[in-house]
Amino acid sequence: MKRKTIRLLIFAAYLLSPLLFAAVAFRNRSSTPIASFLGIVAYTWLVAGVIIASRPTFIEKYFSLDKLNKFHAVMAILSLSIGIIHKFWITAVWGEVYGFSTVYGDLAIVTFLAIAAFTILIMTNWFGKWKLMKSIKTVLKKLPFAHYDNMKILHNFNILAATFLAIHVLTMTFVVQGDILAGTVLGAYFAIAVSLYVNHKFLKPMRLKKNLYTITSVQPEKGNILNVAMKPDQGEVFPYNAGQFVFMRVKDKRYPFEEHPFSLISAPQNRKEIAVAIKAAGDYTNKIQDLEPGVKVTVEGPYGGLWRIREELQNTEDSLVLFAGGVGITPLLGILEDIKHKQLPNKIVLVWSLKDQSEFGFAAQLQSYTETIPDFNLVPFFANESGFLDAGKIQAIFQNKDVHYEKAQYLLCGPRPFMEAIETALAEKGVPKNRIHFEAFAL
């Protein structure tokens, strides 16, 4: 079955799942109260959010984690809004008549709302153009709990909100309505979600500690990036595809044992060793720049869907144009390593946009691609010398490298404004969206 078909089926199952639970909950009623149905929708989708937060690989491999997380964020806000409508609608019709159950429903809404508000303010840039939101964000970021890493911990309290919600729903079905079948079905759904979450947060890290990797070399690169190679203490490297990333934890008392995502820059054909790139971009990644060989780490993955672009190139004469913005070069290095091994005949053009030449790292690797990939073209682009990379400059690069817009696949990776600008420039030239592939560092 084709990936697009499976993606459509998963998406449809997500959106239509409330109908299944509603059919069970309202099976003995001649009509379905709209307010109650909205409650079922909110419960179903909010619990589904717990499942998505567990990073299920059987779903992620069809969507990629950045897109799955974006969908999760949007649907969480929509589900919470539906839940609030349900609350006020029910209260307007019946009043506060279910005491114990209502209290837990209210606790769920308040907890979800508080976490959602802080998450949007601190961990996203959804309202970045609003002056008022910028001011609020500036004030909040001065508070210790509002640091990004602390907000990641606070975000996990959504499981508490989901538990309050489950208590509300189950007391309504078991106690108030006396519906054992509906209560069992709704309870089993919540139990599955919690099991996946507990496995992800607690059991999986414990298993990973038994399957450690040892850092074999560290190589500083220009642009405050560290090239870190590691090998498994037992067996071979797990199978992965070029362009994917992993979550890594450093098992050393000098560093917090917290997970962070890092791009794989090694070739998947090498089953003895993997390499990741770590950009100094915050408290944790600044500290981790002093890693040394011999340090033990855990590695979870792989994740990410950038590798799928290779499927679009098979049996075609299309060019592959890679646009990297700053540290966005890292997953593209893995893809280029794979291309080097496979000796693809397609024209490959890498446009790497940087502030200045002091950020131009990975010189040895890039030189090896020039020497070994049959038709590799490197275009470093420095903003301090040439200005912003706009549509006119892209057209000049394409003319110089003999790239035809309609006969190329495009892969974008870097800051979101960078990718949006490139995507807009390509769309203006008539490039269809299915030829433009991207992955955001938004985890």
Side-chain angles (χ1 to χ4, degrees), residues 354-424:
L354 299 161
K355 291 180 180 178
D356 53 54
Q357 294 197 27
S358 68
E359 295 187 338
F360 185 67
F362 300 102
Q365 281 182 256
L366 294 172
Q367 180 60 35
S368 74
Y369 305 146
T370 301
E371 295 172 353
T372 57
I373 297 176
D375 195 356
F376 176 71
N377 302 265
L378 173 62
V379 183
F381 188 91
F382 303 111
N384 69 327
E385 298 176 5
S386 306
F388 190 72
L389 184 60
D390 56 23
K393 296 183 178 74
I394 291 174
Q395 182 165 343
I397 292 171
F398 281 19
Q399 289 176 344
N400 181 261
K401 299 300 180 182
D402 193 28
V403 174
H404 302 280
Y405 283 95
E406 72 281 4
K407 292 185 178 181
Q409 296 286 341
Y410 303 89
L411 205 163
L412 288 49
C413 194
R416 191 171 293 278
F418 167 82
M419 294 193 294
E420 289 175 350
I422 300 299
E423 185 178 17
T424 299

Side-chain angles (χ1 to χ4, degrees), residues 283-442:
D283 293 342
Y284 180 84
T285 49
N286 285 336
K287 183 176 178 58
I288 212 172
Q289 295 294 309
D290 63 2
L291 276 175
E292 300 174 350
V295 171
K296 303 289 186 179
V297 299
T298 69
V299 180
E300 180 200 343
Y303 293 100
L306 281 179
W307 60 273
R308 297 185 185 113
I309 191 171
R310 187 163 48 80
E311 296 179 347
E312 307 294 335
L313 288 176
Q314 289 179 353
N315 303 316
T316 74
E317 295 182 355
D318 288 354
S319 302
L320 173 59
V321 183
L322 310 172
F323 284 99
V327 72
I329 187 67
T330 52
L332 307 189
L333 292 174
I335 289 173
L336 289 169
E337 285 289 331
D338 185 51
I339 290 173
K340 181 173 75 172
H341 277 78
K342 289 185 167 58
Q343 290 291 289
L344 295 185
N346 309 72
K347 178 188 289 292
I348 312 296
V349 179
L350 170 61
V351 182
W352 189 9
S353 179
L354 299 161
K355 291 180 180 178
D356 53 54
Q357 294 197 27
S358 68
E359 295 187 338
F360 185 67
F362 300 102
Q365 281 182 256
L366 294 172
Q367 180 60 35
S368 74
Y369 305 146
T370 301
E371 295 172 353
T372 57
I373 297 176
D375 195 356
F376 176 71
N377 302 265
L378 173 62
V379 183
F381 188 91
F382 303 111
N384 69 327
E385 298 176 5
S386 306
F388 190 72
L389 184 60
D390 56 23
K393 296 183 178 74
I394 291 174
Q395 182 165 343
I397 292 171
F398 281 19
Q399 289 176 344
N400 181 261
K401 299 300 180 182
D402 193 28
V403 174
H404 302 280
Y405 283 95
E406 72 281 4
K407 292 185 178 181
Q409 296 286 341
Y410 303 89
L411 205 163
L412 288 49
C413 194
R416 191 171 293 278
F418 167 82
M419 294 193 294
E420 289 175 350
I422 300 299
E423 185 178 17
T424 299
L426 295 175
E428 289 175 355
K429 291 295 184 179
V431 177
K433 285 189 175 182
N434 63 359
R435 284 182 170 265
I436 304 174
H437 313 262
F438 64 89
E439 192 160 72
F441 293 155

Side-chain angles (χ1 to χ4, degrees), residues 122 139-151 283:
I122 304 301
V139 173
L140 284 175
K141 282 198 168 182
K142 295 179 181 179
L143 303 174
F145 80 90
H147 293 169
Y148 187 86
D149 288 337
N150 292 336
M151 279 303 305
D283 293 342

Side-chain angles (χ1 to χ4, degrees), residues 250-303:
V250 181
K251 194 174 182 294
D252 188 295
K253 293 181 180 180
R254 292 173 294 174
Y255 311 97
F257 190 64
E258 58 187 51
E259 63 177 16
H260 284 262
F262 300 113
S263 296
L264 290 161
I265 62 173
S266 48
Q269 290 82 2
N270 183 355
R271 301 303 303 280
K272 296 181 179 180
E273 190 176 68
I274 59 173
V276 299
I278 302 175
K279 167 79 171 180
D283 293 342
Y284 180 84
T285 49
N286 285 336
K287 183 176 178 58
I288 212 172
Q289 295 294 309
D290 63 2
L291 276 175
E292 300 174 350
V295 171
K296 303 289 186 179
V297 299
T298 69
V299 180
E300 180 200 343
Y303 293 100

Side-chain angles (χ1 to χ4, degrees), residues 214-268:
T214 300
I215 293 177
T216 55
S217 69
V218 291
Q219 176 65 46
E221 300 283 352
K222 290 183 178 180
N224 295 320
I225 296 176
L226 196 66
N227 185 334
V228 180
M230 63 198 82
K231 64 179 181 180
D233 287 1
Q234 299 178 356
E236 293 185 330
V237 170
F238 51 84
Y240 67 94
N241 290 292
Q244 292 192 291
F245 64 91
V246 295
F247 284 88
M248 191 177 86
R249 297 173 187 257
V250 181
K251 194 174 182 294
D252 188 295
K253 293 181 180 180
R254 292 173 294 174
Y255 311 97
F257 190 64
E258 58 187 51
E259 63 177 16
H260 284 262
F262 300 113
S263 296
L264 290 161
I265 62 173
S266 48

